[in-house]
Amino acid sequence: EVQLQASGGGLVQPGGSLRLSCAASGFTVRDSTIGWFRQAPGKEREGVSFLRNRDSSVVNRDSVKGRFTISRDNAKNTVYLQMNSLQPEDTAVYFCAASKRRLITSSLWASGSYDYWGQGTQVTVSS
């Protein structure tokens, strides 16, 4: 059975850090394109950070560049999103998703490009 289990969310003050985890089972993250998305209340889901298979290239949303880092631990079959310098506008439910294909850049941002989704984990940035 294919599963993605997201965890690591919580409440953090502005400027703080969190590390989200996305543990996969039933498929190999190394061979998949993994994306982190987020959805804030009243807003559409948006792409945040992506890690492709094969060359492990990374694409990040402009607003998180220099603050968020996506990485992969093949031994644990898990993808992480290290989030530093968090701001209130980062508050959202964060989702991880996986595609069995290598996606071109324009496709990375489309929710429909992904085959599997994890449940969300809430990130709240507030003082």
Side-chain angles (χ1 to χ4, degrees), residues 73-102:
D73 185 329
N74 292 334
K76 294 183 177 180
N77 209 30
T78 298
V79 174
Y80 301 99
L81 185 67
Q82 177 67 44
M83 306 186 295
N84 299 327
S85 301
L86 284 161
Q87 300 302 317
E89 53 266 33
D90 296 316
T91 295
V93 178
Y94 284 70
F95 302 87
C96 59
S99 171
K100 294 177 287 188
R101 299 162 292 152
R102 174 178 171 81

Side-chain angles (χ1 to χ4, degrees), residues 3-41:
Q3 280 192 331
L4 283 171
Q5 183 75 30
S7 61
L11 172 63
V12 64
Q13 292 186 340
S17 299
L18 283 174
R19 188 178 78 159
L20 305 183
S21 299
C22 179
S25 58
F27 71 99
T28 304
V29 296
R30 177 191 60 207
D31 298 326
S32 306
T33 296
I34 304 295
W36 283 98
F37 290 76
R38 67 187 180 187
Q39 188 166 18

Side-chain angles (χ1 to χ4, degrees), residues 101-115:
R101 299 162 292 152
R102 174 178 171 81
L103 300 175
I104 61 175
T105 300
S106 59
S107 295
L108 289 171
W109 305 94
S111 299
S113 298
Y114 295 84
D115 303 295

Side-chain angles (χ1 to χ4, degrees), residues 7-77:
S7 61
L11 172 63
V12 64
Q13 292 186 340
S17 299
L18 283 174
R19 188 178 78 159
L20 305 183
S21 299
C22 179
S25 58
F27 71 99
T28 304
V29 296
R30 177 191 60 207
D31 298 326
S32 306
T33 296
I34 304 295
W36 283 98
F37 290 76
R38 67 187 180 187
Q39 188 166 18
K43 295 187 177 181
E44 292 188 355
R45 186 174 299 186
E46 63 182 21
V48 177
S49 186
F50 308 95
L51 177 61
R52 287 193 179 97
N53 55 359
R54 301 183 197 175
D55 65 357
S56 298
S57 58
V58 172
V59 175
N60 287 314
R61 176 174 207 85
D62 284 348
S63 62
V64 307
K65 286 180 180 177
R67 301 189 299 123
F68 290 12
T69 302
I70 189 170
S71 64
R72 182 177 63 212
D73 185 329
N74 292 334
K76 294 183 177 180
N77 209 30

